[in-house]
Amino acid sequence: MIITVNTGFKIFMSDEEALVSFLNGTFRLEEENRIESVTVKSTDINIAFPTLQPQFRLDIRAKTSKGACINVEMQKARPKYFADRVLLQHSAFVLQSKYEWNEEHFGDLNAELSEEEKSKRENHRYEIPPTYAIWICDFPVGKQEDYYGTWAVRNEKGLTFNDKMMYILYDLTKFTKTIDEVKTVEDRWLYLLKHAGTAESLPDFNDDVIAKAINRLLVNRASNKDLEKQAANMVMTEEEQDFLASIIVKGRVEERRAMAAAMLTEGDSIEKVVRISKLSEADVLAIKESLEH
């Protein structure tokens, strides 16, 4: 059985070697234009949106050796206002990238500056690093006819307003290539993502990076911590994920209550039951009282 939900996606895409391979395939880069290395960064976005709870947390965030900032998202089901979400999330991503770009190029933003430094900073006030969003969608993407689409702000003649911002959307429902039709690195990754949930085994295409990714995806190779994360993500929406997480927590509490009741029946002390069950003393006393009645 293969892990395919978001946590599994993060398990293999957060590996730098795999991410480089995937990005070179996604951007269809060859030879001197290829990405040589990436730095996987914290997925948290520090830009505050007071009306949004929780704040944005990205699936995969990285920076290439040439300074491009990239966000990769895996979406299993189409959420409400999907296009709005892509734009809003990317806006936060751009602001976060701009903040980090300023820190990298200007150091301490609160430091005393010379007139020359002030002038330099003013000249770059509105400069942003290249920021690219890649969305891998396991549902039909509206207005996109193929499995691969590049989106940007363009005018009526198709001229791009700013090539530093681009959205790449994959529609896995339209990726129908068979194993024999898989030719490129991009094809290999898409085939892996498309079939990981249904295939008993996956081809590695004689690609060492792909082979390592498959090994990381196998359930029997995953750590208990990873598997716990899977349970909270094996649903279709974030709201359902929250609901399932609450069920898991409730289930664990009920297990502890059952254990406490068994220990009390065996005559164990209140202190011991509290220590072993991790329940509060008040909860244990309430269980004891219910057993006596």
Side-chain angles (χ1 to χ4, degrees):
M1 182 179 179
I2 307 296
I3 299 173
T4 60
V5 292
N6 285 7
T7 303
F9 167 75
K10 296 173 189 177
I11 288 171
F12 73 83
M13 276 301 171
S14 58
D15 176 82
E16 292 183 18
E17 186 180 31
L19 190 55
V20 166
S21 173
F22 172 77
L23 293 177
N24 279 321
T26 295
F27 289 105
R28 303 176 178 182
L29 302 175
E30 297 181 357
E31 298 182 10
E32 71 275 3
N33 294 321
R34 291 178 65 82
I35 297 169
E36 296 297 331
S37 64
V38 297
T39 301
V40 179
K41 303 177 72 67
S42 167
T43 57
D44 290 332
I45 291 294
N46 298 321
I47 307 303
F49 285 86
T51 60
L52 294 181
Q53 296 294 334
Q55 298 294 316
F56 285 124
R57 176 169 291 173
L58 308 181
D59 281 350
I60 300 290
R61 187 165 74 96
K63 180 179 177 182
T64 72
S65 53
K66 295 183 178 179
C69 301
I70 297 173
N71 168 219
V72 188
E73 296 292 316
M74 180 74 176
Q75 192 70 36
K76 293 294 293 177
R78 185 183 183 92
K80 292 182 179 179
Y81 307 107
F82 172 65
D84 291 5
R85 174 176 174 173
V86 171
L87 294 173
L88 183 60
Q89 187 160 312
H90 193 69
S91 297
F93 175 54
V94 172
L95 290 173
Q96 181 74 29
S97 300
K98 168 61 174 171
Y99 176 80
E100 294 173 358
W101 185 91
N102 282 352
E103 283 192 318
E104 179 181 345
H105 288 82
F106 301 122
D108 185 357
L109 302 182
N110 297 315
E112 292 293 328
L113 302 176
S114 66
E115 291 302 316
E116 181 180 357
E117 290 171 328
K118 288 180 181 179
S119 177
K120 179 181 178 182
R121 183 172 296 185
E122 184 63 29
N123 288 337
H124 294 276
R125 174 187 290 269
Y126 299 111
E127 182 178 5
I128 62 171
T131 53
Y132 305 120
I134 302 169
W135 287 75
I136 304 167
C137 305
D138 200 12
F139 55 84
V141 175
K143 300 181 181 179
Q144 182 165 301
E145 296 180 356
D146 200 1
Y147 69 84
Y148 177 92
T150 59
W151 300 77
V153 178
R154 300 184 176 97
N155 70 359
E156 69 279 1
K157 296 181 179 180
L159 299 175
T160 301
F161 183 66
N162 187 331
D163 60 8
K164 285 186 173 182
M165 293 178 61
M166 181 171 66
Y167 310 86
I168 297 176
L169 271 59
Y170 282 113
D171 181 345
L172 292 181
T173 67
K174 295 185 177 72
F175 182 80
T176 58
K177 292 185 179 182
T178 65
I179 291 180
D180 293 336
E181 294 172 324
V182 170
K183 304 297 181 185
T184 67
V185 172
E186 177 189 29
D187 290 345
R188 295 170 189 170
W189 284 110
L190 294 179
Y191 188 92
L192 176 68
L193 292 167
K194 173 79 173 183
H195 297 283
T198 57
E200 289 298 324
S201 62
L202 293 169
D204 61 20
F205 303 105
N206 294 317
D207 184 321
D208 289 342
V209 178
I210 295 286
K212 292 176 184 176
I214 292 173
N215 281 336
R216 285 194 297 275
L217 286 171
L218 293 174
V219 168
N220 62 4
R221 302 283 180 89
S223 68
N224 290 335
K225 182 177 181 180
D226 290 333
L227 293 176
E228 285 186 19
K229 291 180 180 178
Q230 293 305 316
N233 283 284
M234 292 177 70
V235 286
M236 302 303 287
T237 68
E238 291 181 358
E239 291 77 11
E240 290 170 332
Q241 289 177 22
D242 292 340
F243 177 67
L244 181 58
S246 69
I247 292 176
I248 292 172
V249 171
K250 181 179 179 181
R252 289 173 178 170
V253 171
E254 292 303 318
E255 288 177 1
R256 292 201 295 270
R257 289 180 181 277
M259 178 175 64
M263 293 178 68
L264 290 169
T265 301
E266 292 295 323
D268 288 316
S269 67
I270 297 295
E271 292 77 10
K272 182 177 179 180
V273 175
V274 169
R275 185 176 71 255
I276 299 299
S277 70
K278 307 300 182 184
L279 295 172
S280 69
E281 182 176 342
D283 284 340
V284 173
L285 288 172
I287 294 170
K288 180 178 174 60
E289 183 178 351
S290 68
L291 291 173
E292 292 173 348
H293 291 82

